Amino acid sequence: MRYETAGESHGRALIALVTGVPAGLAIDVTAIDADLARRQRGYGRGGRQTIENDRAVILSGMRGGRSIGSPLAITIANRDWDNWTDVMSPTGELSAGARVTAVRPGHADLAGCLKTGATDARDVLERASARETAARVAAGAVAKALLRTAGAEVASYVTRIGDVEAVDPPEPASVDRAAVEESDVRCPDARAAERMRSAIDAARAAGESLGGVFVVYATGLVPGLGGYAEAAQRLDARLAGAVTSIPAIKGVEFGDGFALASRPGSEAHDEILHDASGFRRPTNHAGGLEGGMTNGETLVVRAAMKPIPTLMKPLRTVDLSTLEPADASRERSDVCAVPAAAVVAEAEVALVLADAYTRKFGGDCMGDLLGALAAYRERI
Ligand SMILES: Cc1cc2nc3c(=O)[nH]c(=O)nc-3n(C[C@H](O)[C@H](O)[C@H](O)COP(=O)(O)O)c2cc1C
């Protein structure tokens, strides 16, 4: 299973094209919309989220609520397009009003203009904007439908915003998912959540922005997804690539990650036990991955998001049109988007895992996939 997206931030619509979806997968469009709404939420978002009300429209690849094995095209309209037709018209005369030349440090503006020869950074930033991640979330919801059918679930929560850190639960799978969904910072630790909101308020008042850390975890995975034999199959690498493909994600670790580096081996690895229910581990330092494969424990991916680059108290930059010093441009912007990024990362993780299921158990139709999965479970 793979996806591609198209669409600019203030263009007419976003498109996700998902290929490799097995035939016969029941896909509930309201579940896609629910994930789109989860991506839109979060304390610290900018004004754009009050304009948009993201809804998925399936253009192809489904009949009667099920996939038919052909490419799935999903579109999400940009409601804000109506306000930008004179700036974003694909074919018409453009008004110069929204030209961006004071390129923002931390964003794609400068490198994108140098790379493409653009003299108006809007040509770059319209696509580099994380508005595009709505399309990824729609594609990810399809992957989640496959995983759910195969008995696996992907979820997320936030552990840090700026310098406020939540108490991390010992086992992500024990997190109260309802509490996370109710929290506007996606944090299960209510006291930390309160301090996170205050930190976001203070950042907004100061013209600042904040980053943070979140965890994406997946339960119910069979062991052996991914592969040890070839670099491209190793699930750690595929997951790290997928999660760091999200704008502003600058670090990823699995399980205890960087902390493993300072421990002796006896405190770093998870002993192997066996009982009537099969193999199990008393600990999960590895975060559910060994040798590039799932090992049957909860998959735990932790990611760091840098602060939002657009600042209301702008950093110094250079104006591309004059090469004179300037204040970086200000677009309407989020102050903090860590909760939203966690939802996007759920989608990316789900897409990698769903692809791993189709590779291991067959991608033509769900009946074959589930049959092969049942036989595998029986064997192991
Ligand atoms: C969900 C989400 C929302 C974001 N919102 C904004 C925003 O409102 N303003 C902004 O400048 N950057 C925002 N970003 C971050 C930029 O898209 C990102 O920093 C930029 O594309 C440069 O890419 P890089 O940070 O990976 O180098 C957001 C990122 C995500 C994942």
Side-chain angles (χ1 to χ4, degrees), residues 104 106-108 128 130 246-248 250 305-306 308-310 333-334 337 340-341:
R104 293 164 299 174
H107 221 300
I246 301 167
K250 296 298 145 196
M305 182 179 195
K306 75 183 192 184
I308 298 285
T310 306
S333 178
D334 299 324

Side-chain angles (χ1 to χ4, degrees), residues 39 44-46 48-49 104-109 125 127-131 133 244-250 305-311 331-342 344:
R39 192 202 74 96
R45 303 303 302 277
R48 178 78 185 266
Q49 305 312 323
R104 293 164 299 174
H107 221 300
D109 304 356
L125 69 89
R127 179 64 183 162
S129 153
R131 173 73 188 144
T133 60
T244 53
S245 78
I246 301 167
I249 302 304
K250 296 298 145 196
M305 182 179 195
K306 75 183 192 184
I308 298 285
T310 306
L311 297 175
E331 288 271 316
R332 181 182 50 199
S333 178
D334 299 324
V335 172
C336 173
V338 178
V344 179

